Amino acid sequence: MELISEKLCIPPLYIRKTQLKDVYIAALPQKWCLYIKKNLKLPDEFENHASYSPNEVQAFLWDSESLISPDWILVYINVIPKCNHPVLSTSSIHPDMGLDVKDLTYSQYLHYVSQTNFKNLWKESQKKFPEAYRPFALNRGRRSNPKNASWQESLSSLLARVFSCPIVSLESGSVLHPTSQPPSCVLQAVGVFECSSNFFVITEHIPHSVHQCLSLSPSLLSSNSVKPMFLLFQMLHAVKEMQDRSLFVEGVSWQHFFINESLSLKVLPALASSLIPLEPVQPTKQEASLQELTTSWVRGCLSNYDYLMALNDLAGRQINNPFNHPVLPWISDLSSPFGNWRDLAKSKFRLNKGDRQLDLTFDPTTFEAPEGKEDVLPSQVPHHVTDVLSEITYYVYQARRTVRSVLCRYVRPTWNPLEYPTSIERMQQWTPDECIPQFFSDPSIFKSIHDDLPDLSYPPWASSPEDFITKHRNALESPYVSERLHQWIDLTFGFRLSGSAAIKAKNVHRSLVDGHVDLSSRGVVQLFSQPHPRKLLPSPYVGRSPPRLPPAEEQLSLPLDYNPVGLLRQLETVSHFYGSTAPDSQELAITTVAGRRQRDLQWLVTLAMELFIPQRFRLIRLSAKLEERWQICQDIVRFDRHLMPRSLRSFIQIVFQNETVTAQGLPPPSAHQLLQPMVSLIPFPSEFPAVLTATHQLKQLLDQGNVDFPGVGKTISSFTCPSSIALVIPFVKALLLKSSTAFRAALYLLDPVAASLGPTETAKEFLNIILKIMGPEQPSAPLVLLYHKRFLLMLQVRLGIRCFLQNISLLIVEGVGGCYNADSVTSVQQLLVAPSTSSLSPNLDRLKLGKEQEQESETEIESGDVFTFEVGEEAALMEQSSGEETGAVSGTPSRNSVKVKLNLCFNSGLNLLTLVRFQYSLATAAYPVRDIHELDGCTVSQVSVDSLLWQAHRLGPVLTARYLTRNLLRMLALCYADETSLNLADPSQESSPFQISGALLQGDFNANRILGCLASIANLYGEQFVMLQYFPHAAEVVSRCISSGTISIMLEGGLVGSCSLILACIPCLQDSNFMQCLREVLLRQLLDPIVSAVTSTEQTFARGGAARSALAIKLLDCLCALSIRLGTDAAGQFISDPALKLLKSFDRVSKVASHPSVSRANSLKGRPDYMCHQRRLSNTLRQAQAAAEIEAASSSPSNNVTRPAANEALSLTEMAATFTDHFAFQLLTALNLILGVRHVQSLVEQGGQAAQTCATQYASTKDVLDADPECYRSFSSDVEAAAGSSYGSRISVVGNRIQLFAEEETVPETQTDHCDSRPTLEEAQDLLCYRKTDSARHLRGNWLAYWEHEAGRAERDSRFNFKQIRLLQLNGHSAGIRSIHVMDSETGLLTAGRDKTARVWSLNSQGDGNNSVSASYVYQQHRKPLLGVSFIDTARLAASCDGAVHLWDPFVGTSVRQLDASSSSKFPTVTAMKALPAQPILVTATAEGTLRMLDTRTPLTYQHELRISPVAAGLVRCLATGSNGYWVAAGHSSGILSLMDTRTGMLLSSWKGHEGEVLQVNGWTSSHGSQHLISSSLDQSVSVWSADDGKLKFNFRGASEPVHCLCITGGGELVTGTTANRIGVYTSLTNNANFSSTKLRSDTFKGVLTAMAVVPLNRMLLLGSDTGVVNLLC
């Protein structure tokens, strides 16, 4: 480090050591590195970090997870000392270029093999018979001697070839420029410098090495067998590139290979070891091996301190590393120098925490995941010990020697010296972690560098820190500790870290059992698997000379402390320990280039073995020679061959045989040969080269961001192996998490990856990332692309309908509410490829959207959609939108769609009914369908409206009500819960279709889109949505406000939203239903409580008068709309009471001025700040619950104790701000219009005099109108002109009051200026009345009863309630139904019948339950009655079977492939088939008792044939698969059940499960992830088996007939069907489940039940009969 600091001018604290010799890590500013690359010299001075001190930078160097700052980087500095001895010139080393050409033909392979074998055989003959070949050599001339070169020249040449970086001389300033390109596998060089004694190579920094991964994160590789193979493949590529540049591999350990989370491999070559010396070199002193160290320690030749430090070094612990520092035991409580010893058989964590707490953290029931949430955090894994030494404890130990800023970063954010232990005794008592070596060796650790933190005090028995260190070290070496130290070694490094020994010792470490797959630089490493031997102590009975024996005649008596058996046991322990951990080394010969190549091949074997069996190599040092590593490999081959991976056995065996020509006729293996698939001895997957290319492209995407995303997506989509996809997932995740590439990655890369993973794994890997991208805190313009229905369709297919609705639909609703609108709308076209050149995703090329769909035939269907009914829906959308102008892009129709000039203006010029964009337009004109390439200028809310309405058409009424409208209603309240949502807005910005008065609130802009969606859904499925869901929801919100003393912000928004909802729903109701809801719902449950809240003096609003005023405005709009819909005569009967309450409130307000306790300034002073919590939360549905809980806590009785008098004062103050002269004029003017003058006059006489006085005062004050701009928006400044309107003629200002005239009375001419252009009241009533819409999908009859039942159920109620209500009848098959398959979207199904046809159906809500529908498509190419039908989700293909397998496309109606048994003997008759989940594999059972796997992606036939049973078990009647696709089960006609692993093809189990024929099998996964198999048989039994071992779990009770139909619902219930037409339901899949049975009625189902399927989300049942009819029941 001093040399680096001196030569490169880098401060010492900016550099730290690594475990590699002569390799350091340094922190450098980026401009320092750029200066080197540009000027090829060092900067004049090193600029220190501007924000952090050198000590803080030093701490950052150890923390691999921290970033110093964006303009600073970490680098490796490799120091290569110079030598003077001559070496073999690197130009004499010729690489093996025979296989360097890619894609060699078969003849070229043969030519290479023959030439290489011929050359090798001649070389071997020359070595064996040198004298025989001497004459030929003399005649042909001797080969020229190898060229000699200086060490410095050869190394400079290697540096230039390997790093392709200029070599700068620090003394002379000369520069040696490279001439070749750098290899892709080597760490990128920043600069190479040369001084008189060393070379300095500065390279990029990658935090983690493969050695660290194998030691500290083994689950990353062990969780997937393909990952270590891919690392081996990359390592061979790196070796090939190094050998091509005349480098040797020997000396390059896994510590020199660096990887990231994506498993990209790069290497730091050991250049000095690649030089071949021509003269003997004095060997360096080798470090002692572990066997020598252990032997020395056991015999007392090595101290306890030195031995423990050696073990720490082998475990990867490094001095001064806070995260992985060496540990030593606390040996006593420090109360005396030699006494009060600690129990070394127990960990310090156990001694500190106690057994009770450790038992609690190890109890599995403590960390059971809630139902539906199976992911368990690493900290929740049952364990005993958290860590041996945490970084917090380390810094507390070193607090006296560490700067304050570092302590504040890692210990506590605020500096408080009193929080640090004052004495070492207190520190030992406080910490649960082990000790550090400094307390045994460094007295300076006691001395403080802080002014306010005193020195660490030492025990009274020590006179000074130096004295304490001496005595403490002597105590460590004492006989008591030495005799028991092996127990502590077993706990910290030995066999008590794993297995039953760890459990017994309560020593299960979290890092060893949590299965973490993140790369880590810290953790516990187990070195030994056998008990460590005890240290031998001096004994008077064991010595060089035998003990003296007494005379023979005397009796021989042994001492009591003499134990020969113990000595023998210790000897046996030492023997076992050495035999299992310490191999004997064997010297291997070394020659020149040929010898080095042979050693390189052996070194490759050791690297491969260490990659797959790392635990056997942990006992050797990183600098171990080839001989020591090779001996370990020999021991594995001899004694532990079963540990060798099968994929490497051929390669290792050939290397050990060391033959010139192998048994396969190939030359000895090399890296070049192993990478060629035709001659390779290692069976790498064929896609590895393409995966390696894809990873390089993805790495370029991460670094540059402007690479061809569609091209990379096509490359990924070409992968056929799921393991290949698993290798690119980390790259795709990184691209999705990077803000600059997130949207392109989501559009182009997510779909091909998800198509291979399947819905379950896609949700597990990407759901949280998708939610983060689609719901950002700071939305940007490209977000609009992710809310287009094309991307949403992809998510629905890839995530599954259930996951999509539970997560993504919530984001769509929030998008409609304006939560994710960007601040600025910019072009997003640059993110997309032109439509003519490439689609968004290769797997969705057939997806037709928008206008493109009109051009397609009716039989062509979107690949992501389900069947032809989607085309019909889209066509309906297009027909509805054909009459609209497509220029509008807002969430509601354009302002030109329906313009209603209903300016019923009175003396004030009030725009009482400004229905600029009336709701009726929403019912008759759908939103424009925008193509994804035409979204420039659109906002997320506008596109979300389109997507939500598309989803409503697609999902059906039940799922729409459950996941869309229910959340839209909740979102409506949030639109008015924002801080500024109740402020008046400029109506010129946007006119609201759902407001009558001229006042427009800020919250109306977002609420209008929600109301438009709700109205469109109501017009799609009928007004029952309004009556049974919208109004009950509003009534529930209103009822919550009745008993509330202070109406919270959320309830305020709910009240205002309820009023807006009433306005939007009035035109959706027919007259009969409107009158049915009027008195009970609209008035008693909704408007009357709202009027009471507005006029109440006992209730206060969280936002004061602003909320009460906004609610009053909305209430007035509702009263006017109801009155206009009813008519003037009927309005007085229903509106009089609410109107009178409003009028009487002015009388209360008139007393406010004389009330001494009411002052707005004083009354608001004590009001709690209800907005403080709301400002912290955005208005999203996911955060609404949190806001409600916070507000509930803030307004709880304990926190909000207010006297009734204070409440009344606040209420009166709010009412004074609401019931103003302005509102009085609005109210009286509106009542005069809707009720008539005489009726209003009677109301005024009953208690409205104060209101009339206020209105008169406002009308006569013209200056007020001119001075108030807010009022000017709603009122005309010309009062007299307004008084001349058609209806204003009945109002006149007389003196200081408003004079109301009856209809027959004459108004003075001076007050009248008649204007015939004003609309009439009849016109307004016509616009508010119900307009008939398309009723094809309106709910009625059985559909209405079913929907009403499902919509009224609680969200968590997932029980299957079978009522035998028939919803639909599917007619088309002429013979019995054999199989029914429901699509994941639950909007379509496939059926197979005995009439030799397979049919495609759609499930639309239509009719009253008695309708019959026909199939959307019929597949008629079968020759025999069908046995079954299935759908392969990943390939999007249907498969049907009649003894032969037919693959066909249900979306375009074309046949893909037929595997006919009659055409060839290769295809035996198929008896059953099943598609594997999340895989494009079809499993078929043949009449020969075998299973055949068909990969639908390849044009080939069956790939694998597996025998399913070891004995003759009869025909396979049925198949079932696990949800993960890892196993398949078969039910035989003999009652035998068989389980097979689909990954290995091995038979897991086969047993006699039933006495009769197996009728049906089904797979089931419990909430805890355990796999089960359910089977039914002719013996009337229904059994549940474990899919792991085939053991019986339990039998279901209740079945009295053979069950031939089994289905599992989404709520974990089992539905059974029998040939007696009896449907049974088990409430749970447990042995104590309740059972109910129902006999199908003849009026709902005719015939005999032959097939059954459950529609899980909709909770419906499809029943197929022997008559060919399929009935949809609920």
Side-chain angles (χ1 to χ4, degrees), residues 349 430 607 1108 1123 1177 1491 1552:
F349 198 91
W430 160 79
L607 290 178
R1108 196 182 288 255
S1123 301
L1177 300 171
L1491 293 185
K1552 180 75 173 180

Side-chain angles (χ1 to χ4, degrees), residues 1052-1123:
E1052 288 175 358
L1055 289 175
V1056 178
S1058 298
C1059 292
S1060 299
L1061 182 64
I1062 294 173
L1063 286 172
C1065 292
I1066 288 176
C1068 298
L1069 297 174
Q1070 300 184 41
D1071 291 341
S1072 58
N1073 290 328
F1074 176 77
M1075 296 305 298
Q1076 179 183 347
C1077 298
L1078 179 61
R1079 186 181 300 275
E1080 179 65 22
V1081 178
L1082 291 175
L1083 291 177
R1084 191 183 70 83
Q1085 296 182 10
L1086 295 176
L1087 293 181
D1088 287 347
I1090 294 176
V1091 171
S1092 300
V1094 172
T1095 60
S1096 174
T1097 58
E1098 298 178 356
Q1099 289 181 309
T1100 59
F1101 287 76
R1103 285 175 282 187
R1108 196 182 288 255
S1109 300
L1111 184 58
I1113 292 173
K1114 291 293 183 181
L1115 176 62
L1116 179 59
D1117 288 345
C1118 292
L1119 294 176
C1120 292
L1122 286 177
S1123 301

